[in-house]
Amino acid sequence: MPTLRPLLTFLLATAVLAGPAPGGPTATAATRGGDTGGPDAGVETARSSRPLAPGVRLDSYDRLECDRRLRVDELAVDLGAPGVRAEYLGGNGPATVAELAAHHPAGPGRRVVAAVNGDFFDIGDTGAPLGPGIRDGRLLHAPAPGAGAAIGFGADGTGRILDLALTGSVTLPADPDRARPGDPAGDSRPLVGYNTARPPADGFLAYTADWAWGPLPAAGPGPGAVAIAEAEVRGGRVTAVRSPAHGTPPAPGVTVLVGRGRAAARVAGLRPGDPVAVSAAVRRGDGGADPLAAALGGRAALVVDGVPQDHDGGPNDTAAPRTAVGLTRDGRTLRVVTVDGRQRDSGGLTLTGLGRLMHGLGAHDALNLDGGGSTTLVAGRSGTLDLDLENSPSDGAPRKVANGLVLTVPTGAGRATGFRVEALGGATRLFPGLTRTLTATGYDATLGPVAPGPAADRPRWSVDPGGSGRVAAGGVFHALRPGGATVRARRAQVGGALHLDVLGRLTGIRPSTRRLGLADPTETGSFGLTGLDAQGRTAPVEGRDVRWEYDRTRWRVGEDGRGGFTLTALVPRAIGRLRATVAPPGTPALTTELAVGVGLVEEGLADLDDAEQWRGPGAGAAPGHTGGGLRLDLTAGAQGEAVAAPVAAADAPHPLPLPESARSLGLWVEGDGSGGRIAARLRQGDGAEVVLRGPAVDWTGWQRITLPVPASAERPLALDRLSASPGPRPGALVLDTLTAQGPQVAAAPSGPVVRDPALAATPAEVRARPWRFAVLPGGQAAAELRRARAEIRAEGPELVVASGDAPSSAVHRGVRFLRLDGGHRTLDGGGLERLRALREGIAAAGREAGTGALIVVQDDGAGPSPVDRKEAELRDRLLAEFRWATGKGAAVVTLGGPAVAVSRAEGVLSVTAGHSGWVLVGAAEGGGVGVGVGVGRGREWLSVEPHPAGAGLRGRRG
C-alpha cells in the first residue's frame, strides 16, 4: 500500500492541475484572455507557498498557457495586519533590490521581509526615477508632467492607486526691471520640477540632497541647446550662483535652484544674500487630502475600478518580464506580482495580459511598475533576516534599479516558537548507507529570528519510531534502509520536523556535468554529484560520502555549502580528471569521472571565405579582414529605432557545432559607424533558439567583437545564422573569421553502461508474460511495414500500438493506454490540450481499482520538431508522482525515435521504438499492481524485446 503522505501529495497535485489559478477565472487566461475551461485556459503546473510574517505570504507558481509558459511570484499582503507596512525603498542611488533592502532604514523594532523593484528610471542618463517618490511622509522627488501614476499608502497603512502632480513654488526677490510701486516684495513663480530626472526645457526647478544620482541633469526633452543657470540656496538665502557645467549634486541643507530656458536669466541675476524660498508638494488627482506616508511611481494602469484595461496595440504591450502592484477596493489587501519573461521557462506577459492576471488575483485597481531586466523580487525565510532572490531576472543577474517597494513588519520577541528544519540543498531524498545534513532554524511568533543562546539551547534530534535511519546529535541523518523517516528537532516545548525518503539501494552515480572548464585560476566552477537507484530515482550525494582522487598539485575540490562541490585550479593551464567513489556499507563501490580543464583556447568555426553560400536578405560576399568576408547591407531605422527596418540575415550552409565548453563567439566586424548591431543565432540541443546580440557598431574600420554565450543555453549548440539590425543611418557591415572561445577540457569520460532490467529480459521471458503487446512506429517503407506486420502476427500480441492511431484512452488487462495527440508542440497550439488529456488519464488510472498501470503513447516528432523538452519534463514528473503515490506502474512509449532504447527516470520506464523495426513488450497481469512500490521491490512489470528491421523471427537476440 502506498503511504498516505505521497498519496495526499498526488491528489493535491492533480487538483492543482485540474483547477484555475487561485483568485479568479481570468487568472488562467492571462495571455489571451480565454475563460476557464475554454480552449485557451492555462494550467497551473507547480506551486509553492510560504508565510513571511503574520499578514505576508509568498506564493510562487508555474503556469502553462496556450502560447507560453509563465513563472509567477506573488506577495499577498494584509495591510490591516498589526504592524505590516509597505514603504518606499531606495533614494540613495542605483543598486540592486537586495542591496537597497539591506540598507533600508526599517526603524527600531522593525525588519524587512520582502522587496520588489519599483519605478521606471532614466536608464540612459542619470539613473534617477521618473515618477513621484514619498518616504516617511516626505517628498523625495516629484514626477515630470504626465508621469504621476503611483501607488500610495496613507498613515493607516491602506493603499490606493493615484495620480500625483507637483505643486510647488519658488519666491524670488522682486525683479527690479519689472517692479512697480506697491508690488509685493517677493516674486513667486511655479516650480516645474523637484529632483526631476528629465527636466522641462523651460521653468524653475529645485534639487536637494535627496537627489542621489550624481551630476544634475544637463539636458531636457526637445532638440537644441537650452539656457541653464543655477544658484545654491541655504537657510533661505542665495549662497552662490554657479556655472551649470558644475553639475554637483546638492550638499545636505542646500537647495540648488535651476532656471531653464526663459527662467535662466532670472536665476543668473541672483546675488549672494538674496532671499529665496522654495516649497514643493504633490497634489492628488482623486482630490484626497489625507497625507501619504509613502508613494512609489509607476506607469500604465492595469485595472481601474475593477475593470482590466486593454492596452492592445500600445507601445509597451509586448510580452516581457513584468512587475505590478494591485489593491482590493478597500485598499487593505495588496498584491505584489512579478512575472519572469524572455526565457524559455517563462515567456512574460503583455500589459493587457498582466491586467487580466491582476484582476484575477482580486485587484480592484492595479498599476504596472518597471519590468524587463529590472523585474526582481527578494523575500525572507522564517528565522532569519536574510533575503533570497525569488524570481529569475531576464538579464541573468539582478539589475541595479532606482527604487522599489519594501515590506516591513514588527520585530518579534526573539523567543522560539518553532523550528524550520531543512536538508542541505533542499534534498529530502537519499540512499541507504549515505547521509544528509540537516539544520534547524528557530523562529519566533512573527517568524522572525530567535535571540542567540548558549550551546545547551541547541535542539535535540530524533527520528520517529519505525523510521528508516538514525540521526546524530549534530543533525546528520544516516539512512539505514529503504522507506521513510520523520526527523524532529526539539528544544523544551518547541519543535519542528522534516520527512525524508530513503530510496532503493544505490546502483549508480553521475556528475551534473561530464566536462567542467575554468577560464583561469581566479574562477571557481560548480558541479553536483547525483546518485541513482535501480528505478532511476535520484538524489544528491553529499561530500562526506564521497572519496575524491585527483592531482592535488593542480586542482582543489571543496564543498559549496548547498550540497554540491566547487573546483578551483592551482595552475594557469592544465587538463585532467576528477574521480569520485561512493561506497555505502554493504554495497559495491561506485565510481564516476569528471573531465576538467583550465585556460582559454580559441577554435575556428568559419573563415567566411565561402560567404556566397551564406544566403539571406541583404547578404553577399565582400573582401574580408583576411581573405573573403560576409557583407550585410542595412537600411536605416526610423528615428534611430532599429526595429523599424528589417534585419539583414545570412543562413549558414550547414549548422556550425560549437565546442561544448564554448563561453563566447569572436567575430571581426568592419564598421561604418551606422550604429547597426550584429547578432548570432544558435540552436540549442532541443531545437530552441538563443540569440547573441553584439554592441552598436559606432566605429569605422575592422574591430574584433565578442558575443558571450549564456551559461543557461542547452548544449549541444550550433550556429545557423548571422544577422544585423539597422541603426540610425544606412550602411553595410562586413564580417570575417568566426571563432569560439572556451576553456580547454579533456574529452568527457564514458560512463558505465547499465542495462535496464526491462531490456535485459530474454525472448523466452517476454513470451512467458501473461500477455503481450507490440509497438510499430511509422515512417518505414511499405515492404518493411509488411514484413514487420507479418512478424507481429506470428508472435500473436493482443494489441498493436502503431503510429497514426487516433488519440484515445482505454484499459486493457488492467493497463490504461493513453494515446496523446502528437500534431503540435506545446507552444504551437494543441500542446495544452495534450497536457489536459495527460492529466485526465493520470486521474482516471489513479482512481480505478482494477487499473494497475498507465502507459502513455506519443510520437517522437511533433510536426517537424522534437517533443518540447519542458513538456517532456512535466510529463515525466507527473507520471513519477502518480507512480510514487499510487504504487501503480507507469511507462512512456515513444514512436519513431532514432533507435530502440529503454531508459528509466524516477521509476517511470521509457521505451522508444526506432524508425525501423518494431518492439515486443510482455506485461504483468493486471498491470503489475504493487510492483516496484516506493523502493523498487519486485520484478519488472514490463519486459521489452526489440526487433530490428529485417532481422526476421530467427535473428532476434536470445
Side-chain angles (χ1 to χ4, degrees):
M1 287 291 292
T3 64
L4 180 61
R5 188 186 65 84
L7 180 59
L8 289 175
T9 302
F10 168 72
L11 294 174
L12 177 61
T14 54
V16 168
L17 282 172
T26 54
T28 69
T31 59
R32 289 192 179 176
D35 296 326
T36 300
D40 289 342
V43 173
E44 188 174 298
T45 59
R47 172 176 285 265
S48 64
S49 180
R50 73 174 190 264
L52 307 184
V56 184
R57 187 187 75 249
L58 172 66
D59 293 317
S60 301
Y61 43 93
D62 296 337
R63 293 191 55 77
L64 181 62
E65 302 291 342
C66 57
D67 60 347
R68 73 195 68 190
R69 294 180 180 83
L70 292 177
R71 187 167 49 221
V72 183
D73 291 287
E74 173 199 343
L75 290 167
V77 186
D78 179 3
L79 295 173
V84 175
R85 293 183 197 161
E87 304 172 4
Y88 180 97
L89 175 66
N92 299 312
T96 66
V97 172
E99 292 168 342
L100 293 175
H103 294 94
H104 179 70
R110 300 189 64 78
R111 63 187 177 95
V112 172
V113 294
V116 71
N117 68 291
D119 197 3
F120 291 77
F121 57 96
D122 190 18
I123 193 170
D125 195 355
T126 63
L130 300 178
I134 297 175
R135 184 179 62 203
D136 297 330
R138 184 165 60 88
L139 179 65
L140 300 179
H141 48 88
I151 182 170
F153 301 91
D156 64 350
T158 58
R160 66 216 73 183
I161 304 300
L162 301 166
D163 186 68
L164 303 178
L166 173 64
T167 173
S169 64
V170 54
T171 302
L172 305 171
D175 186 345
D177 296 333
R178 300 175 56 187
R180 298 178 180 178
D183 282 352
D187 180 12
S188 181
R189 304 288 185 91
L191 277 184
V192 297
Y194 184 79
N195 290 332
T196 300
R198 295 178 181 173
D202 192 77
F204 294 92
L205 303 96
Y207 291 86
T208 70
D210 288 325
W211 175 265
W213 317 100
L216 301 186
V226 175
I228 306 175
E230 297 178 359
E232 295 185 359
V233 179
R234 182 189 290 268
R237 297 282 177 176
V238 175
T239 58
V241 178
R242 67 188 201 182
S243 166
H246 188 56
T248 305
V254 172
T255 296
V256 174
L257 179 65
V258 179
R260 298 175 64 85
R262 290 172 293 178
R266 190 74 175 88
V267 174
L270 295 173
R271 297 292 179 265
D274 284 348
V276 171
V278 175
S279 67
V282 290
R283 66 175 182 272
R284 292 166 44 174
D286 63 354
D290 54 312
L292 294 173
L296 175 72
R299 187 184 300 173
L302 301 173
V303 183
V304 177
D305 292 333
V307 179
Q309 301 299 289
D310 187 352
H311 292 272
D312 287 353
N316 192 28
D317 198 43
T318 57
R322 298 290 182 183
T323 304
V325 287
L327 293 159
T328 52
R329 182 191 291 268
D330 61 6
R332 299 184 69 85
T333 301
L334 170 69
R335 289 285 195 274
V336 182
V337 171
T338 61
V339 181
D340 289 341
R342 299 173 186 161
Q343 302 170 49
R344 185 159 175 77
D345 287 351
S346 189
L349 281 177
T350 64
L351 287 177
T352 302
L354 184 63
R356 293 189 181 119
L357 174 64
M358 297 302 294
H359 180 251
L361 294 174
H364 184 73
D365 295 283
L367 179 68
N368 178 52
L369 301 183
D370 190 17
S374 299
T375 290
T376 311
L377 186 146
V378 297
R381 291 186 178 274
S382 55
T384 179
L385 296 177
D386 297 336
L387 300 177
D388 297 334
L389 177 65
E390 298 295 336
N391 75 310
S392 180
S394 63
D395 288 353
R399 174 188 288 179
K400 290 187 175 184
V401 297
N403 57 14
L405 189 70
V406 62
L407 301 177
T408 68
V409 299
T411 302
R415 293 188 296 272
T417 60
F419 283 102
R420 172 167 51 89
V421 181
E422 292 181 302
L424 184 65
T428 58
R429 305 200 301 187
L430 71 165
F431 301 96
L434 302 188
T435 61
R436 185 67 73 231
T437 302
L438 306 177
T439 58
T441 305
Y443 55 84
D444 65 13
T446 69
L447 303 183
V450 172
D457 288 339
R458 293 174 182 169
R460 299 182 60 183
W461 293 89
S462 64
V463 178
D464 283 2
S468 55
R470 58 182 177 84
V471 63
V476 177
F477 178 80
H478 297 259
L480 300 179
R481 58 186 177 276
T486 298
V487 184
R488 299 188 183 276
R490 177 166 291 277
R491 186 177 68 204
Q493 302 302 312
V494 176
L498 180 70
H499 185 88
L500 300 176
D501 291 314
V502 182
L503 306 179
R505 181 177 63 87
L506 185 69
T507 60
I509 56 174
R510 66 189 181 203
S512 58
T513 178
R514 289 283 179 182
R515 305 175 76 221
L516 180 61
L518 308 178
D520 54 56
T522 66
E523 186 175 85
T524 299
S526 299
F527 64 98
L529 194 63
T530 300
L532 303 91
D533 68 5
Q535 292 294 314
R537 291 189 296 263
T538 62
V541 179
E542 285 193 28
R544 70 166 55 85
D545 296 323
V546 183
R547 184 178 75 250
W548 290 102
E549 299 174 65
Y550 57 89
D551 186 344
R552 283 171 167 76
T553 67
R554 296 187 170 197
W555 313 99
R556 182 171 61 246
V557 175
E559 297 182 44
D560 64 4
R562 300 182 299 276
F565 302 91
T566 60
L567 174 69
T568 306
L570 305 179
V571 295
R573 300 188 73 84
I575 59 175
R577 289 190 176 181
L578 313 178
R579 183 180 178 88
T581 300
V582 179
T587 302
L590 300 168
T591 63
T592 189
E593 289 188 344
L594 170 67
V596 295
V598 59
L600 294 176
V601 294
E602 194 163 34
E603 180 177 323
L605 294 181
D607 56 20
L608 298 182
D609 287 343
D610 61 346
E612 66 279 355
Q613 298 181 36
W614 290 65
R615 305 294 178 83
H625 185 249
T626 57
L630 174 64
R631 178 185 174 96
L632 296 175
D633 288 311
L634 301 171
T635 57
Q639 299 177 350
E641 295 293 335
V643 297
V647 299
D651 292 328
H654 54 81
L656 304 174
L658 271 62
E660 185 180 352
S661 59
R663 300 277 191 89
S664 63
L665 300 182
L667 188 66
W668 281 99
V669 179
E670 185 181 31
D672 57 2
S674 65
R677 291 180 182 270
I678 298 296
R681 188 177 73 184
L682 307 181
R683 289 289 179 185
Q684 301 181 84
D686 60 358
E689 69 178 44
V690 57
V691 179
L692 315 183
R693 304 187 189 280
V697 180
D698 55 6
W699 66 87
T700 58
W702 286 99
Q703 183 169 310
R704 187 76 168 165
I705 67 169
T706 298
L707 305 175
V709 176
S712 59
E714 291 284 335
R715 268 63 174 178
L717 298 170
L719 182 144
D720 65 355
R721 172 177 289 186
L722 293 172
S723 63
S725 56
R729 299 187 303 278
L733 306 177
V734 181
L735 317 180
D736 197 5
T737 315
L738 178 66
T739 62
Q741 188 180 53
Q744 57 172 352
V745 185
S750 57
V753 178
V754 179
R755 193 169 180 84
D756 193 278
L759 188 60
T762 65
E765 181 180 349
V766 173
R767 290 168 182 75
R769 285 303 183 110
W771 67 281
R772 289 163 291 161
F773 66 92
V775 179
L776 177 62
Q780 305 179 55
E784 189 174 315
L785 279 173
R786 286 194 298 270
R787 181 169 54 249
R789 290 189 180 278
E791 293 179 358
I792 291 173
R793 284 194 298 271
E795 293 290 350
E798 297 184 13
L799 291 176
V800 176
V801 178
S803 294
D805 290 348
S808 62
S809 183
V811 178
H812 182 83
R813 290 260 204 160
V815 176
R816 176 168 287 278
F817 284 83
L818 175 63
R819 180 69 166 89
L820 296 180
D821 177 14
H824 301 277
R825 297 184 66 186
T826 297
L827 304 185
D828 220 10
L832 190 59
E833 187 57 40
R834 186 164 59 243
L835 180 58
R836 289 197 186 99
L838 174 62
R839 176 197 66 201
E840 293 165 0
I842 289 175
R847 64 175 174 261
E848 293 167 345
T851 297
L854 173 66
I855 295 179
V856 175
V857 182
Q858 64 177 22
D859 292 313
D860 176 69
S865 303
V867 171
D868 185 87
R869 173 177 59 87
K870 299 301 295 185
E871 181 184 351
E873 291 174 358
L874 176 59
R875 176 204 65 208
D876 293 346
R877 176 170 66 82
L878 294 177
L879 289 174
E881 290 172 354
F882 159 79
R883 185 183 182 281
W884 182 257
T886 65
K888 300 182 179 185
V892 177
V893 173
T894 303
L895 307 176
V900 174
V902 175
S903 61
R904 194 184 303 270
E906 298 300 325
V908 178
L909 189 69
S910 178
V911 179
T912 300
H915 287 299
S916 59
W918 56 284
V919 176
L920 185 66
V921 182
E925 186 68 52
V929 177
V931 173
V933 174
V935 296
R937 297 185 298 271
R939 64 188 300 211
E940 296 300 325
W941 68 285
L942 291 179
S943 298
V944 181
E945 181 188 359
H947 290 245
L953 295 178
R954 298 182 178 179
R956 296 188 299 273
R957 62 184 178 86

